[in-house]
Amino acid sequence: MTIKPWEVWFAAVRFEDSQQIKNRPVVVTSSGAIYVMALKVTSHVPHNEWGEYALQQWQAASLNKPSTVRIGKRLRL
């Protein structure tokens, strides 16, 4: 399996305000042998002034509803 930049994958992501973990979609920005850098994805309406943008091809990425990528919420998985 090859993980490529700009693909949407599902990953176990920890909530910011608790220890709870949930499988969430993420947009891969880069991948290496040890970790993957990704951006958080949400179903909330995007706030461009917060660095959030609507995913244009959310259905092709197998997401259930229109989604927003959060540029400022980077993850190291």
Side-chain angles (χ1 to χ4, degrees):
M1 164 178 28
T2 302
I3 299 174
K4 298 176 186 171
W6 310 119
E7 290 182 331
V8 175
W9 284 76
F10 284 83
V13 177
R14 185 180 313 274
F15 283 77
E16 293 177 18
D17 56 354
S18 75
Q19 295 298 314
Q20 186 178 0
I21 295 174
K22 184 176 179 182
N23 280 335
R24 306 282 313 207
V26 296
V27 174
V28 174
T29 58
S30 65
S31 64
I34 298 175
Y35 63 88
V36 171
M37 295 301 293
L39 300 171
K40 286 188 175 183
V41 175
T42 182
S43 60
H44 297 281
V45 175
H47 298 280
N48 293 352
E49 65 274 9
W50 295 352
E52 298 179 347
Y53 300 92
L55 289 176
Q56 298 299 309
Q57 298 180 7
W58 59 272
Q59 291 168 315
S62 299
L63 298 173
N64 295 330
K65 51 183 136 182
S67 298
T68 298
V69 64
R70 293 178 161 178
I71 304 300
K73 300 290 184 171
R74 297 176 191 205
L75 301 169
R76 182 176 168 169
L77 307 171

